Amino acid sequence: CDIGNEIINKVDDIILLAKIEAGKVDSIKAPYSVTTLIYELSEEAVKKVKDKSVKFFVEIGEDIVDKVIGDADKIKNIMTRLLDNAIKYTREGSITLSVDCYRYPEDKRLEDMVNVIFSVSDTGIGIQEDRIDTIFEVYNIADNVKNSIHSGNGVSLAIAKGYASLMEGELEVESVYGAGATFTLSLNQKSADKLTSNLGIQKIEGTVSKEAAEKLWLPEVNA
């Protein structure tokens, strides 16, 4: 049942977080496709929002480097957690998954590196100002918003932060309470080639372009 699976997942997350904090989890570096990763994340997100009054968009920067070297599984894990969090706390409006790449043309030491920026923005309930600084720590909350109780234990975001740190990346959040939040993951990845996968971008745009989203997702509903 769903409740049983949820309990199992929470226990698994607590064990995983303990391993991360104990230094028993390693980061693996291997070539992966940025556009393929975004496409896979998009497909899963589309399935999860199909019964909600939420539109899902993907925004891809103009300078995407498709093939880079890093830990794709951990990046996907982080982004899945951020998307799940956005879906959980967004009743209506939109969720946007964005990716962009930046090079270091003036630094010879980083000429083979690419700064890859992933972000998830939503129009959900947002985060209270006094919780911003501790959002990635384990906690227990019960926020009453529009007569709806939202609760959690923070383990998932703590894992996301731990994975980001393990990969020497940064995971940050900006939010206006009542108006949504944006989580941003920034990572330096070694470029495996300098080509952008146009096919990968076409697949993403065909799945979650704004035009397609207008047809596939339910209209916004005012409570």
Side-chain angles (χ1 to χ4, degrees):
C1 65
D2 291 340
I3 295 178
N5 289 334
E6 185 176 348
I7 293 173
I8 292 173
N9 290 336
K10 286 183 177 180
V11 171
D12 288 343
D13 274 358
I14 291 171
I15 294 172
L16 175 57
L17 180 59
K19 288 182 178 179
I20 293 172
E21 293 179 340
K24 296 182 178 180
V25 178
D26 297 322
S27 179
I28 299 170
K29 293 183 179 180
Y32 72 93
S33 164
V34 173
T35 54
T36 297
L37 175 60
I38 294 297
Y39 178 67
E40 292 172 352
L41 289 166
S42 301
E43 275 199 314
E44 289 302 313
V46 167
K47 295 174 185 176
K48 293 172 182 176
V49 302
K50 68 178 182 178
D51 295 324
K52 296 171 69 75
S53 299
V54 175
K55 297 172 185 175
F56 180 77
F57 301 128
V58 172
E59 294 181 350
I60 302 175
E62 296 180 356
D63 300 317
I64 291 296
V65 177
D66 185 46
K67 295 293 193 304
V68 295
I69 297 173
D71 196 329
D73 287 341
K74 288 184 177 61
I75 295 171
K76 186 175 183 179
N77 188 292
I78 292 171
M79 299 310 297
T80 297
R81 292 176 186 277
L82 298 183
L83 285 165
D84 286 349
N85 190 67
I87 292 168
K88 179 178 180 181
Y89 293 113
T90 305
R91 292 178 56 190
E92 61 183 35
S94 65
I95 296 170
T96 302
L97 171 62
S98 304
V99 60
D100 210 341
C101 294
Y102 303 92
R103 291 189 177 274
Y104 299 93
E106 298 179 0
D107 193 333
K108 291 291 185 181
R109 297 169 301 172
L110 299 173
E111 60 183 355
D112 293 330
M113 302 299 290
V114 180
N115 185 219
V116 186
I117 309 292
F118 301 90
S119 71
V120 175
S121 300
D122 65 64
T123 60
I125 64 175
I127 304 165
Q128 292 173 319
E129 187 175 351
D130 61 357
R131 285 192 49 231
I132 288 287
D133 292 338
T134 58
I135 192 65
F136 296 111
E137 299 175 7
V138 178
Y139 58 88
N140 287 285
I141 62 169
D143 292 334
N144 192 332
V145 180
K146 293 183 179 179
N147 299 319
S148 177
I149 299 298
H150 298 270
S151 62
N153 56 21
V155 174
S156 185
L157 290 180
I159 290 172
K161 183 71 170 181
Y163 271 164
S165 297
L166 186 64
M167 294 184 287
E168 299 182 346
E170 295 182 1
L171 181 58
E172 300 175 326
V173 61
E174 295 181 353
S175 178
V176 175
Y177 188 53
T182 297
F183 286 84
T184 302
L185 172 65
S186 173
L187 295 159
N188 279 339
Q189 307 278 262
K190 187 173 183 179
S191 175
D193 68 33
K194 298 182 179 180
L195 299 177
T196 299
S197 173
N198 290 325
L199 178 60
I201 292 177
Q202 288 171 8
K203 287 171 65 179
I204 293 168
E205 290 178 343
T207 304
V208 289
S209 68
K210 291 193 175 182
E211 292 77 10
E214 293 293 341
K215 297 177 182 178
L216 293 175
W217 282 271
L218 298 172
E220 294 183 21
V221 176
N222 293 322

